[in-house]
C-alpha cells in the first residue's frame, strides 16, 4: 500500500521545499493543496480517513505547512476536530519550518550544555521559531528569558508557553528595545538563541555579553545582517570570543534530518500529532 | 508505460477521497486539476490525446469529479466533444460519488430481490444519487416511484431518465411533501432507496409502511438524522420490522470496491465512457 | 534518489501536455505549479536548491511552460537571478512548445538542405516559434528573411535575434502585408518555414514561388486554414510542386522526441539552461 502524504499549505503555492523533503523522506504519493483554509479541512480529512480501512490508515498522513504559522495552527485545530475515535491519521505541523528549526537549534545546543537550571536567552522570542525554542528549553528546566521589543508580547508568549509545558516553567519576559535592556537581558546567560526574522540584527557587536558565562550562541537568520553580529551563517560550533557559535546554515543540516525523520515517523501509526515537543524528541533519537 | 489519470474536479480543491482511491486502484501518476470549467477542457484533453501514440492511449484516462454533479456533466460533454476518431481516452464520471453510490445501493438490493416487475420507491429521487438509482432500477424492469417534495421536479427527473433508458421505462413521479403522500408513495413497495442529502429525514418512524411487502430499505445518508428512521448507518442487511436494512456505511464497502474496479477498468482500452450504467455493470461483475 | 521536475506554468492550469511528456521522459516526481508569476519564483527556487546536497542537485530540475512565451521568459530570468554559485538546478523553457517546435522544424529542414548561405524565409517570424526558427537558421549561416505584417516588428525581432547570435547574423526584416510583398519576400528562397498562429493563412495558392529554388516548405499551423496553402498537416517530406512539404503533425513526432530527450538531459547535471539553441543541439544528437 502506497504511503500518501496530504500536504495542507496555507500559501498560494504549496512549498516546494516541503515537497522535496517529503519525496526524499520516502513518501510515495504527495497530494499538495495550496491556499487551504479551515473551511476546506473537513472534506480533505474525510478523504483521508474514509478511503482506507482502519488497519491501513497509518499509510496516509497529513502535513501542515506554509509561511503563516497561526494559519497553520488553525488548520491543525480543525484537522483534530474532524477526527473521531480510531478514524484519524497522523499529522505533522511545521509551518515556516518553525518546529524543525527550533528543534534543531535546541538540539545543537544540547550537545554543549545541560539545560536543567541553565540561564538562556531567546531573542525574538515571540516569533514562531523563538517561541518554540523557548518552549523546548523551558520544558527541559532551563531558566528562559524570552525577549521581545515589546514587553507585553513577551509576557503573552510566556503565558502561552506555560499553558503548554506547565505553570512551573521558568520563563521571564524581557523587553529588549534598547541597548541597555539587551545588555541586561543577556547578562550572565550561557545560551543565546536568536530566532529573528531575515535581515534583522538583534545583538550588535558591542552588545555581546562580556565574561565567560556565554557558552553557546545560535543565530537562525541567514540573511545579512545576521541576528547575532559576528556569527556567520555557515558557523557550526565555531568558537568566537570564547563562545561556540552556530549560524542558520550550520543548523540547517540538523533541521533537515529532523524534518525527514519526522515525515518518515508519520507512517508508523495513525494516531500521532507531531508538533514542537514530539518533533524535538524525534531529533533526540537521531543524535 | 505509466498509467496516468487526469482528474478534472469542479471544486476549488481536488477531492482527496478520489485521489486516494485512484492511488489504491493502481494509477501510477495522478494529474489533479481543481476548479475546472468547460472552457478549460479542450486544452487538457489535447494534452491527453496528443502526447502518446494511438496504441498507448489506453494508458491515459480522465476522471471527472467534484461535488457539483451538473458541473461534472458539463465537463463530460465537453470532453466527449473534444475527442475525434481514435483520438480519445477512457473517461469516468463520478461527481459527488453519485454513480458509484447509486450502483452500490442497487447492487446490494439485487442480492435480495428481483427487479423485473418489482415495486420500488426512490425517495429524494431527483437528487444525483436518487436519480441514478431510479435509472438503474427502471432499466432493469422495476416499477419505480420517483419521489420528491415537488411533483414538477419528480416529473422532470422521470422524463430525463426515460430519455436515457427508453420511453417504455416504468417510472411514476410522486410528490411526498406530506405524511399522507409519503404513505401513499410507500404503500406496497418491496424496495425503498433513500438517496437524500445529509441530515434530512425522509421517512419518519410512524411512516414505515405496514404489511409484509417491504423487503429491502436502503438509506444513503450517514449524517443524523438519517433518511429512514430506525436504520443505522452501519446496517448491512440488518433485519428491522421484517425488512432488510442498509445504512450509508453498510453500502460504503461495495461503493468503494466499484469505484476502484472502475478506475482500473479505464486502462483496459481508450474508448470507454464509464457513466451510471457502465459503472453498475462493473459492480455486477465483482459480485 | 528520485528525479524531481518542478513545472512552473504561467497558465491557470498546468499544461497536461507537458505533464504527460515529463512522465514519459522518466521524471519520477512532478511538482506542477500554475499561475506562476515572477514574484513566486524565489521561494520555489529556494525549495529546489536548499533541499538536496550539491552532489544531488542534478536530480532536481525546473521546466518553464504555459501559453504565454513572454511570461515564461520573465520566469526564466527570475529563476537565473535566484541561483548563486553552485546552488542551482538545470532549467528548460518551452513556453507554448516554441523551442521544441522551432527546433523540430529546423531539424527536419536540415535533412534536405545545407543552411550555410541558404536563402530562407520565415513567415510570421515575429511569433514565438518563427523567431526561434529564424534564430536557429541565422546561427547556422543562412540568409534569413524574417517576415511580418509589420516591418517595424520584423526589424525589432531581427535586432533581438542578433543580440543573441551575433551582429554578423544575416537577417533581413520583410514586410508581408500584401500579395506583392509576400511574393517579393519568397522570391528565390530555398526554404520557407511558416510559424504562424492557428488558422491563419500566410501564403495563398497563387503566392507559391515559381521556379525551382524552393526545396523545403514547413507549415507549423495544424488548424485550417493552414499557413501554407496546399500543405497538409500530416505531410512529412511529401513532394508538392517540386517542394518537400511538412505539416504541423508531420513535424510533431520530431518535436516530441526532442521534448522528451531534453527533459531527460536536464538530469545529467545541475547547471544547464535549455533554451532555443541548447534544445536544438539535443535534437541534432538524436538524428
Amino acid at each position: 500500500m502506497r504511503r500518501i502524504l496530504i500536504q495542507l499549505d496555507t500559501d498560494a503555492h504549496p512549498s516546494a521545499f516541503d515537497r522535496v523533503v517529503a519525496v526524499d523522506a520516502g513518501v510515495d504519493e504527495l497530494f499538495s493543496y495550496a491556499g487551504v483554509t479551515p473551511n476546506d479541512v473537513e472534506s480533505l480529512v474525510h478523504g483521508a480517513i474514509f478511503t482506507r480501512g482502519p488497519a491501513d490508515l497509518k499509510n496516509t498522513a497529513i502535513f501542515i505547512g506554509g509561511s503563516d504559522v497561526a494559519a497553520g495552527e488553525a488548520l491543525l485545530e480543525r484537522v483534530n476536530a474532524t477526527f473521531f475515535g480510531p478514524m484519524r491519521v497522523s499529522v505533522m505541523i511545521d509551518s515556516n519550518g518553525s518546529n524543525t528549526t527550533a528543534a534543531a537549534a535546541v538540539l545543537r545546543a544540547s550537545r554543549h550544555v545541560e539545560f536543567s537550571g541553565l540561564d538562556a536567552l531567546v531573542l525574538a522570542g515571540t516569533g514562531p521559531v523563538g517561541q518554540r525554542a523557548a518552549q523546548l528549553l523551558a520544558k527541559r528546566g532551563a531558566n528562559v528569558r524570552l525577549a521581545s521589543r515589546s514587553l507585553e508580547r513577551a509576557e503573552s508568549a510566556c503565558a502561552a508557553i506555560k499553558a503548554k509545558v506547565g505553570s512551573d516553567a521558568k520563563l521571564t519576559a524581557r523587553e529588549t528595545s534598547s541597548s541597555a535592556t539587551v545588555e541586561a537581558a543577556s547578562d550572565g546567560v550561557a545560551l543565546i538563541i536568536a530566532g529573528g526574522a531575515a535581515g534583522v540584527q538583534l545583538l550588535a557587536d558591542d552588545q555581546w555579553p562580556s565574561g565567560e558565562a556565554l557558552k553557546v550562541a545560535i543565530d537562525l537568520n541567514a540573511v545579512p545582517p545576521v541576528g547575532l553580529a559576528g556569527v556567520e551563517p555557515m558557523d557550526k560550533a565555531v568558537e568566537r570570543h570564547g563562545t561556540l557559535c552556530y549560524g542558520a546554515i550550520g543548523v540547517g543540516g540538523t533541521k533537515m534530518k529532523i524534518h525527514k525523520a519526522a515525515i518518515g515517523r508519520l507512517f508508523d501509526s495513525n494516531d500521532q500529532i507531531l508538533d514542537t515537543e514530539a518533533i524535538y524528541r524525534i531529533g533526540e533519537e537521531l543524535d
Side-chain angles (χ1 to χ4, degrees), chain A residues 11-282:
Chain A
D11 291 344
H13 293 296
S15 161
F17 188 102
D18 291 338
R19 293 175 88 171
V20 175
V21 176
V23 165
D24 286 347
V27 165
D28 295 311
E29 300 292 334
L30 184 59
F31 298 171
S32 295
Y33 290 90
V36 180
T37 67
N39 285 339
D40 301 322
V41 165
E42 186 178 270
S43 162
L44 296 170
V45 169
H46 283 172
I49 64 179
F50 289 145
T51 39
R52 293 172 153 185
D56 294 324
L57 281 179
K58 68 173 185 177
N59 295 306
T60 306
I62 291 173
F63 176 90
I64 297 171
S67 57
D68 185 334
V69 178
E73 287 176 333
L75 294 190
L76 177 59
E77 194 179 318
R78 203 62 165 263
V79 166
N80 275 323
T82 308
F83 292 155
F84 58 94
M87 305 309 283
R88 59 183 63 244
V89 298
S90 287
V91 189
M92 171 175 175
I93 179 164
D94 196 31
S95 294
N96 212 20
S98 55
N99 279 323
T100 50
T101 302
V106 174
L107 203 62
R108 296 305 305 190
S110 76
R111 299 195 173 184
H112 311 294
V113 290
E114 285 288 329
F115 293 139
S116 181
L118 186 85
D119 289 313
L121 169 65
V122 180
L123 290 167
T126 59
V129 175
Q131 202 163 324
R132 283 163 175 77
Q135 175 187 331
L136 292 169
L137 292 170
K139 167 90 176 174
R140 279 151 188 82
N143 302 310
V144 181
R145 303 177 192 174
L146 189 157
S148 166
R149 277 165 305 174
S150 147
L151 184 62
E152 196 182 344
R153 274 187 283 133
E155 284 171 341
S156 157
C158 287
I161 294 171
K162 282 185 180 172
K164 288 186 181 173
V165 303
S167 57
D168 57 339
K170 291 162 205 141
L171 279 155
T172 322
R174 293 291 186 126
E175 176 261 314
T176 49
S177 62
S178 68
S179 230
T181 51
V182 168
E183 277 164 41
S186 58
D187 182 54
V189 298
L191 169 64
I192 296 180
I193 293 179
V200 177
Q201 192 180 65
L202 297 167
L203 194 78
D205 252 336
D206 57 0
Q207 290 175 322
W208 272 80
S210 51
E212 294 186 2
L214 188 61
K215 305 297 180 212
V216 183
I218 299 176
D219 185 359
L220 298 170
N221 160 24
V223 180
V226 293
L228 304 178
V231 175
E232 296 285 332
M234 304 284 289
D235 280 359
K236 192 170 174 178
V238 171
E239 195 175 323
R240 297 183 187 277
H241 323 291
T243 299
L244 292 172
C245 294
Y246 286 87
I249 298 173
V251 172
T254 302
K255 174 203 152 31
M256 191 65 82
K257 273 184 207 158
I258 296 172
H259 190 158
K260 274 189 212 171
I263 296 284
R265 198 66 67 83
L266 284 170
F267 300 95
D268 286 350
S269 67
N270 75 321
D271 56 0
Q272 302 167 77
I273 307 290
L274 302 187
D275 203 339
T276 312
E277 181 65 23
I279 289 170
Y280 182 78
R281 286 201 202 127
I282 289 170

